[in-house]
Amino acid sequence: MPGPDFSLVFPPDPVWVRSAREAVRALLRSARRDDLTDTALLLTSEAVTNAVNACHRSGCSIPVTLSAEWHRADAAETLRVLVHDSAPGLPAGRAAEGGDESGRGLALIGDCATDWGVRATDAGPGKSVWFTL
C-alpha cells in the first residue's frame, strides 16, 4: 500500500472544503502519488461542497465525514474517497443553465473518476458519495 488511510470529521461549513482538499493532498504526497493530485483535489472539492450544500439546504448540522483509503486489486492500487453527510435525500445532477456553474459536480465526478457512486445510509437520513482513482 502506498500510504495510510485517513478520515476527517468537520462541521457542514464551506470553510472546511479547503481543509478536506489539503488532507487528500497530504495523503497523496505521503504516498508519492502526485499523478492523482489534481483530479483527486477537484473531485474532493466537488463532493464535499455538495455535502455541505445539502446540509445547508436541509438545516442539518450533523458533521460531514471525509475518508480516503487505498485498495489493491491485482497489481493496481486505487484511491477511494468517500464523503458522507446526514442531509436527507440523494443528490441529483442537473444541467447548468446559461453561465450557472452550480449543479455539475456529480457529472464532473462521473467524467473524471475511475468509478463512483452514491449510496443511502442504512440507518436514518444521509448518504455517501464516493469515487475511485
Side-chain angles (χ1 to χ4, degrees), residues 35-55:
D35 57 313
L36 298 178
T37 300
D38 290 341
T39 303
L41 298 184
L42 174 64
L43 301 187
T44 297
S45 290
E46 293 296 334
V48 171
T49 298
N50 285 350
V52 167
N53 289 342
C55 288

Side-chain angles (χ1 to χ4, degrees), residues 1-78:
M1 291 289 171
D5 301 337
F6 81 91
S7 66
L8 178 66
V9 180
F10 50 91
D13 187 301
V15 71
W16 285 90
V17 175
R18 181 176 183 179
S19 296
R21 272 195 318 266
E22 293 307 313
V24 171
R25 182 190 309 274
L27 174 72
L28 292 169
R29 186 174 293 137
S30 73
R32 295 187 173 105
R33 291 300 309 261
D34 295 334
D35 57 313
L36 298 178
T37 300
D38 290 341
T39 303
L41 298 184
L42 174 64
L43 301 187
T44 297
S45 290
E46 293 296 334
V48 171
T49 298
N50 285 350
V52 167
N53 289 342
C55 288
H56 279 231
R57 282 190 303 274
S58 69
C60 173
S61 61
I62 298 170
V64 172
T65 302
L66 165 70
S67 60
E69 58 188 12
W70 294 100
H71 289 274
R72 185 177 189 96
D74 300 321
E77 294 169 329
T78 60

